[in-house]
Amino acid sequence: MRALVKSGLELGAIICGFASPDTVGRVMSALELGAVALGALPEPEVRLGRIVQRAEASLTSAAAHEFSRLGEADQESIAQVLRARIDDSDAAELLVAAFTGEEAFSAAFQDPERFPDTADLTDDEQGYLRALVGVVHSSVEALSLSGDHLGPVVQAAFKELRSHQLSAQDVRTMVTQEFANRNSIASHVVVGDRPRPARGFVRRDASDELKVRLDDGHEKLHVLSGLRGTGKSQIAAAVSADCVAAGWSFVAWVNASSPESIRAELRAISVLLGLVTASDDEDVALAAMRVWINDGSAADRLLVFDDVENLRDVEKWLPLEAGPHIVVTTVLAEADPAHTVNVGVLPLPEAIDYLLGATRSQDRAGAQAVAEALGCLPLALAQASSTMQQSGFDFDRYLAALESRLLVDVLEPETTGYTRSVWAALSMSIDSALDGLRRNPARASAGQRVLSVLSLSPERGVPREWLSASGEDEFETSLATGALITSSVLGARVGGSDVTMHRLIARVVRERMSTAGTADDAVGASIAQITRQVRTSLARPDRADRAAARRIILHLTDVAREPELHTLARDPRFLELASGVSVAAQRIREPAAVATMAPFMHLLETEFGRSNMRYVRLAESVANAQSVLGDFDDAIRTFEELLQQTLADHGPASEMGVKHLIMLAHALGDSGDGEGARRLYDEALLVADQLPGGATPLKRAASSARAMLMSDDDADVLAGMEAALNEANAELGPNAERTLILRNNLAETCLRTGDTDRAVRLLDTNLRVRRAKHGDAHPATVVTISNMVNAMVEDGRPDEARLLGDKAYEDAKTELGEDHTDLLTLRHNMSRARTAAGDHIGAARMLRQLVEARSRVLGATHPDTLASRHNLVNTYLTVGNTKRAERELPDLLADTKARFGPDHNEARNVQELAQMLAASGGDARHLDSFDA
């Protein structure tokens, strides 16, 4: 009963937030109201709990006096009837009825034409149903009176929906965020890895100007613009620290040097805020952040985007009206002057005061001479003061050393925009820091290696543990890193483990290595560092560290993107490593990460050519990932290019050619072009027969895949697949990967031919092997369980299938993420188990969520998404919900025809649903043709 009343309250929460019924028509096509509320109310919520308790008490009292003849089982049965109707009624219709009044609201659930089972209820049961509906409506009214509670939250959500065309997921996450803020998040949130203050940092006019802007609150966007080395990040970090000290409710720092970095860090912030869970898809998390940024709930919020290289990368995160303060640091001078705080070099008096304070000297004339020599650039002044402190130089001796350094080759001002003295000062600070390590040769060597590696790393830096693991002596490497941070040559971030190097210092280090002839050694050390992480995280697919794998790929793609790191990005060893990482990440089924490596295809092609296996392996991995994610056009194009190159290199008959024919056929089949896939499988079999030994493994793959297209004689297919499986058992063993694949394919064929019991037994054998090899949360195990759930349904064992699928999903969702493509397939088969068990309401609920997830991850017209959409409409028709079927069918039919063609079986199947709808009295006239 609690669940029933809670469903009514959730629906009411949405209802109470609407301004007028006519608004509904404009948004209902984009929103499943009940689903939004159902996912948006975390338990327990104290006030909602009290309302539910009052409603239950009222209903219990009514039942005691009026319905005592009904037992608990009968009452629960009626509750289930109403629960089903709330879940599957047209939400817009219920909304209008609720505004009209209790009578109309009650009639929406008791219409005998829509709910013929109402006529079978006894008078007592009819009365109890009316009482239930009345309590739900009363609870909605009570909830609407709580003006500081759900109503304003949901109203704001729909305001956003109307104004900005946000999705149902956006609204859901907005409501979720409001509850999270009220019930589970501390009043002060500080997140992100902002830089630690530089030694001797002093406040500047730009700092004060930014603080005044924040306090004023009128403008929300503040752009700190200036050359590198002027201290933009330090100013932003200092003001952020002021906001933290002042008790601001939210202060966050985002390393924004690339779109990928922005997305990754905002996703992490979204999880920390409680807007989403760690397993939610990135797009869901980012949608939640957009809503949160625009909700106007608190003025004392600050979000810093540091080191923005393209202002378009942050445009979408700027608040439309009310929202947090956004601070952007950039070298660009493109922002609106009204939003810009120009950050230049220090005024000479401030530069002098800085040097005097940092060195604890009284020599004002000497400080002025050094400041003028360095152009008052804050980075150069900081490095000069650090050098003087470590070397014991006074200003005169420092100037003398600087002059002598100018006689050595340094970067020229006309090519860099900085004076020779600045470059000399940075170089001297590096020497000074290394001098402090030379008393310990092992530590000095480690320090030099750390500098080399970081100079070839993205500006986001690298995790400190990567540096420690990169040296022969982890302890000395750790101490050397700490000493370099203390000397200000390296930077560290507050609250994070990443170690950074300023780009100007990195440029000096690279120039010094080039002059000394050690650049190649540094490249080798950088590659060795990444290789160690790959071996640690990806060497064993069954024990892979997925988070580490994603960080490695992010590091690789950042290197490839930064022009200053082209020496590393174009090194053959680095490119070979990237190729290997793409294959390893594909093996652990991380398609989203692998797909981001597409830019490496150009680098590998330029360096090695398309015939090189490094290029081939990476292109295969990327194209496979694109196919999994529904990007079929790019995947098919890449496979076609690979096939053409293979034919040019090896002629019409080669094992590589057969392999690429099969890969292209797979992609065509996944895209819905079954006929094209079948032709390529046939071609692959013909070519394989011409090869020495018949290319047996490839023939098995092509034969099995072709058989899955269901175009051959069943008896011949079974015989061929059994022979292939027996051969693999004998040659490779029963637990080999190829054997497992063939056994799975044989099980699928047994299902098609009706031998469901054998299919279950074959899959059970595979499942035992998968669990022993990989554990329960591995994608290969999930795929096997998904297939077994499907087989059990076909074998008439839906309850067992449901238990198996539910447990597998719970076991794997944290490790893989709820939107992992293999878990989406499992959820599809779990919905089939619910349907087969008679739980149509549960199936519809699961399918609605699945359609949303698959549309987001794969696209609305991906074949897998279309399959789930088809099943959802079929479920609506099964339970008599013709209105929802009418709403979904036109788009489903159009998308299916567009994907497969009007004469394809899939299109005909959808047309059959339209015929069912017409036969049930639904309006199918707007669906163009239903003739088979």
Side-chain angles (χ1 to χ4, degrees), residues 454-701:
L454 278 169
S455 73
L456 294 172
S457 297
E459 192 169 12
R460 77 167 60 248
V462 299
R464 190 161 182 168
E465 59 268 23
W466 285 22
L467 296 172
S468 297
S470 68
E472 296 179 1
D473 190 323
E474 181 175 342
F475 178 70
E476 293 298 342
T477 301
S478 181
L479 291 179
T481 303
L484 292 170
I485 292 172
T486 301
S487 68
S488 299
V489 171
L490 300 184
R493 299 190 180 275
V494 176
S497 64
D498 284 2
V499 179
T500 64
M501 177 182 284
H502 195 282
R503 286 188 178 180
L504 297 184
I505 296 177
R507 187 165 184 177
V508 172
V509 173
R510 291 194 299 270
E511 184 69 19
R512 286 158 57 109
M513 292 189 302
S514 177
T515 301
T518 59
D520 189 66
D521 293 338
V523 168
S526 297
I527 294 171
Q529 170 193 261
I530 306 169
T531 302
R532 289 187 185 91
Q533 300 308 311
V534 171
R535 289 172 178 168
T536 301
S537 306
L538 292 169
R540 292 279 303 273
D542 56 330
R543 297 180 182 177
D545 183 337
R546 297 178 181 280
R550 290 190 288 268
R551 177 62 195 264
I552 290 168
I553 290 175
L554 180 61
H555 183 88
L556 294 173
T557 53
D558 277 350
V559 169
R561 186 179 298 105
E562 292 194 16
E564 294 179 344
L565 303 181
H566 68 276
T567 302
L568 174 60
R570 287 161 177 74
D571 187 277
R573 295 165 294 178
F574 180 81
L575 294 173
E576 182 172 11
L577 176 61
S579 177
V581 167
S582 74
V583 175
Q586 181 194 6
R587 285 174 181 163
I588 65 171
R589 303 179 74 91
E590 284 288 340
V594 175
T596 66
M597 301 187 74
F600 277 100
M601 291 173 60
H602 173 70
L603 294 174
L604 283 156
E605 180 183 358
T606 301
E607 180 66 30
F608 302 114
R610 289 188 176 183
S611 301
N612 188 275
M613 284 307 300
R614 301 175 185 86
Y615 172 85
V616 171
R617 285 196 301 267
L618 184 129
E620 290 173 351
S621 299
V622 169
N624 277 322
Q626 291 168 335
S627 184
V628 169
L629 297 173
D631 188 2
F632 296 117
D633 291 340
D634 284 344
I636 290 170
R637 180 170 56 252
T638 299
F639 283 133
E640 287 176 340
E641 292 171 353
L642 285 170
L643 179 60
Q644 292 169 4
Q645 190 64 48
T646 300
L647 293 175
D649 292 340
H650 304 287
S654 68
E655 288 198 10
M656 183 68 72
V658 174
K659 178 183 178 183
H660 289 153
L661 279 169
I662 294 171
M663 286 182 165
L664 178 56
H666 285 344
L668 287 173
D670 289 343
S671 72
D673 186 2
E675 186 58 37
R678 196 173 296 115
R679 288 196 302 269
L680 288 177
Y681 286 132
D682 288 341
E683 184 178 348
L685 289 169
L686 289 174
V687 174
D689 283 335
Q690 302 172 29
L691 300 177
T696 301
L698 292 172
K699 286 184 65 177
R700 290 177 188 145

Side-chain angles (χ1 to χ4, degrees), residues 92 165 200 276 413 549 589 687 721 817 851 888:
Q165 299 297 309
V276 295
R589 303 179 74 91
V687 174
M721 296 188 80
V851 166
E888 301 290 343

Side-chain angles (χ1 to χ4, degrees), residues 387-408:
T387 299
M388 285 188 278
Q389 291 176 52
Q390 294 183 75
S391 64
F393 285 177
D394 59 17
F395 291 122
D396 290 339
R397 292 179 64 193
Y398 179 82
L399 281 171
L402 189 66
E403 289 293 331
S404 65
R405 184 59 63 98
L406 291 177
L407 301 175
V408 182

Side-chain angles (χ1 to χ4, degrees), residues 30 231 265 401 499 539 724 799:
E265 300 207 13
V499 179
D799 291 330

